[in-house]
Amino acid sequence: MDLKGKNAIVTGGGRGLGKAVALALANEGVNIAITGRNEANLKETVEEIKNIGVNAVYSVFSVDDESAVQAGIESAVEQLGGVDILINNAGIGDFGSIEEMPSETWEQVIKTNLFGVYYAAKAVYPFLKAKGQGDIVNVSSTAGLKGGGNMSAYAASKAAVVSLSQSMMAEWRKQNIRVITLTPSTIASDMSIQGGLTDGNPETVLQPEDFAEWVRDILKMNRRALIANGSIFSTNP
Ligand SMILES: NC(=O)c1ccc[n+]([C@@H]2O[C@H](COP(=O)([O-])OP(=O)(O)OC[C@H]3O[C@@H](n4cnc5c(N)ncnc54)[C@H](OP(=O)(O)O)[C@@H]3O)[C@@H](O)[C@H]2O)c1
C-alpha cells in the first residue's frame, strides 16, 4: 500500500525506536507528528523529518496524564490536518528486584507503559472511526510474553499492553482499524543500553532502523491484511 500523504502520530518520537519509525514513515511520504516530554529533542527531530520533505510537527505531553494526552493528541491532529496512523511507542524501562524497587517506581512504570498506550489510543480512536479506517501500532515487548527477574514492573506493564491491544483489535477491526501488537526483543537504544541489557553492537544487535523497517512494511500491507501480533529478534546477539 502507498503510505504517501498519510498522517501519523508517533509517541516518544523524539529519540530511540520512535524516532527511527518517524523517519522511516517520512521517507514513505507520511506527514509526522512526534510527541514526548523533551521539547528540545522533539524540535531537533522535527527539523530532521522536515528535511525529508514532509510536514512535521510536535506536541509536548506526558503520556501518564489523561487530560494532557487528550489535549496533546488533539493538537497534533489539528496541526497535521487529520490522522491515519498512531504509533503507540512511548515507554520507560525501570529494572530492579521486587524487594528493592519502590512502589512509586513500580506504579510509574505501569502508568506510563500501560495507561499511556490506553490514553493515546482512546484519544485517536474517534478520529479513525470517523474516517472509517486507520492503523494503531502498540509497542509491547518480549518481556510482555513472559515475566523475568528484576523486571516485574516492566514485564507486567508490557503483558497488559498485549492484552489491551488485543482487546482493541477485537473491538475496532469492525471499523476497518488495524490494531497491531508488537513484541520486539532487545534493540539498541538509550533504554536498553543504559539499562545494561545490551552493548548495542551494530554487528549483532537489532538497531532502531531494523524495527522501523519492520513497522513500515507491516503498515504497507494491503488493508485487507492485518498482522495482529509479531516479534523480532537479533539473529545471534
Ligand atoms: N529498546 C528495546 O530493547 C525495546 C525492546 C522492546 C520494546 N521496547 C519498547 O519500545 C518503546 C521505545 O523504547 P526505546 O528503546 O526507544 O526507549 P528510549 O530510547 O528510552 O525512548 C523512550 C521514548 O519514550 C518517551 N517517553 C518516555 N516516558 C514518557 C512519558 N511519560 N511521556 C511521554 N513520552 C515518554 C521518550 O520521550 P521523552 O524523553 O521526550 O519523554 C522517548 O522518546 C518503549 O515502549 C519500549 O518499552 C524497547
Side-chain angles (χ1 to χ4, degrees):
M1 202 174 71
D2 191 359
L3 299 178
K4 195 171 182 334
K6 292 198 178 292
N7 297 310
I9 298 174
V10 184
T11 70
R15 63 193 168 98
L17 275 52
K19 176 177 177 178
V21 172
L23 291 169
L25 294 181
N27 275 309
E28 295 292 319
V30 177
N31 302 309
I32 305 286
I34 53 172
T35 82
R37 296 162 301 179
N38 183 325
E39 188 164 8
N41 258 347
L42 294 172
K43 271 190 176 159
E44 207 174 292
T45 302
V46 155
E47 289 313 311
E48 250 184 85
I49 299 170
K50 278 185 181 163
N51 285 337
I52 295 172
V54 296
N55 184 18
V57 299
Y58 69 86
S59 179
V60 184
F61 60 86
S62 180
V63 293
D64 62 3
D65 175 344
E66 183 169 18
S67 51
V69 175
Q70 184 73 39
I73 293 284
E74 277 172 15
S75 152
V77 174
E78 198 178 304
Q79 293 182 74
L80 283 177
V83 61
D84 304 283
I85 298 164
L86 168 66
I87 310 292
N88 229 336
N89 161 82
I92 50 172
D94 245 302
F95 304 100
S97 70
I98 295 169
E99 183 185 21
E100 284 169 8
M101 183 180 281
S103 304
E104 298 72 35
T105 307
W106 214 94
E107 282 177 27
Q108 190 54 42
V109 173
I110 301 289
K111 194 83 176 135
T112 305
N113 293 359
L114 171 60
F115 282 77
V117 163
Y118 167 72
Y119 295 149
K122 205 169 175 184
V124 164
Y125 172 68
F127 295 103
L128 303 185
K129 186 183 174 191
K131 199 160 195 173
Q133 70 171 63
D135 296 323
I136 298 176
V137 176
N138 292 318
V139 182
S140 175
S141 163
T142 45
L145 301 174
K146 191 172 182 288
N150 293 318
M151 58 158 72
S152 64
Y154 186 72
S157 72
K158 293 298 187 181
V161 167
V162 169
S163 178
L164 168 65
S165 183
Q166 291 172 343
S167 297
M168 280 180 202
M169 193 271 273
E171 289 185 24
W172 295 348
R173 64 193 295 195
K174 299 180 195 81
Q175 275 98 41
N176 192 23
I177 296 168
R178 301 187 295 188
V179 181
I180 296 148
T181 310
L182 299 184
T183 50
S185 183
T186 305
I187 303 168
S189 73
D190 291 347
M191 181 187 293
S192 60
I193 295 171
Q194 285 163 14
L197 303 176
T198 178
D199 61 6
N201 179 357
E203 296 297 322
T204 50
V205 178
L206 278 173
Q207 300 296 307
E209 295 72 27
D210 302 319
F211 177 74
E213 280 179 23
W214 183 43
V215 172
R216 177 199 66 197
D217 291 351
I218 287 171
L219 291 171
K220 282 173 72 75
M221 297 284 297
N222 188 290
R223 287 213 67 78
R224 66 178 169 256
L226 161 63
I227 306 285
N229 303 281
S231 293
I232 186 167
F233 297 89
S234 297
T235 307
N236 184 17

